[in-house]
Amino acid sequence: MKFNYKVALICFAPYVPIIALYLLVHVYISNTIIAILAATGIFSVLYVFFHYRYFKPFFKRHPELDPQHFEFNTVANVVFAINTIILMVLVIFDFFAKTPVGYLLIFGLYNATISGFKTYRGQTT
């Protein structure tokens, strides 16, 4: 049971700029749904640019950090089940975040913890 914090950080990293973009866009757009859609659209365009410019060459040099080269193991499955139960309890008892930033943080941490426990299966190509 080894937690790979580097992969967890790589999986959580996209949530940080989207939260920052949402906070910036929400200053100018008061409607929450439109603000999150605008932030997601801006993030998507930027992510495509950064993916082809920086991420793809980086992951070619460091395939052991590419989240696509990891697979579920027993520990990751148990963490997935526990996290899902925790999320369901939070939703049922209404302790869940009430803002889009809270949702993004919770899902980012959910994704990062599960990805951190996955095992490296090697490069497939």
Side-chain angles (χ1 to χ4, degrees), residues 29-70:
I29 301 173
S30 61
N31 188 341
T32 305
I33 294 173
I34 301 299
I36 196 74
L37 288 174
T40 305
I42 294 168
F43 175 77
S44 298
V45 169
L46 291 173
Y47 189 82
V48 167
F49 170 73
F50 280 105
H51 174 74
Y52 286 108
R53 180 80 172 126
Y54 300 107
F55 301 155
K56 232 176 165 179
F58 176 79
F59 287 134
K60 276 188 179 180
R61 286 185 309 236
H62 304 286
E64 71 278 1
L65 295 177
D66 191 355
Q68 294 179 356
H69 296 160
F70 285 81

Side-chain angles (χ1 to χ4, degrees), residues 61-123:
R61 286 185 309 236
H62 304 286
E64 71 278 1
L65 295 177
D66 191 355
Q68 294 179 356
H69 296 160
F70 285 81
E71 65 185 359
F72 275 92
N73 57 11
T74 307
V75 176
N77 284 330
V78 170
V79 170
F80 175 73
I82 290 171
N83 281 352
T84 303
I85 291 170
I86 290 171
L87 280 176
M88 288 184 348
V89 167
L90 288 174
V91 169
I92 289 170
F93 291 114
D94 203 27
F95 292 132
F96 207 71
K98 304 287 190 261
T99 65
V101 173
Y103 285 108
L104 290 171
L105 279 174
I106 296 238
F107 287 124
L109 292 173
Y110 179 80
N111 184 25
T113 54
I114 292 170
S115 297
F117 284 108
K118 290 181 178 179
T119 56
Y120 182 66
R121 65 174 153 82
Q123 199 169 359

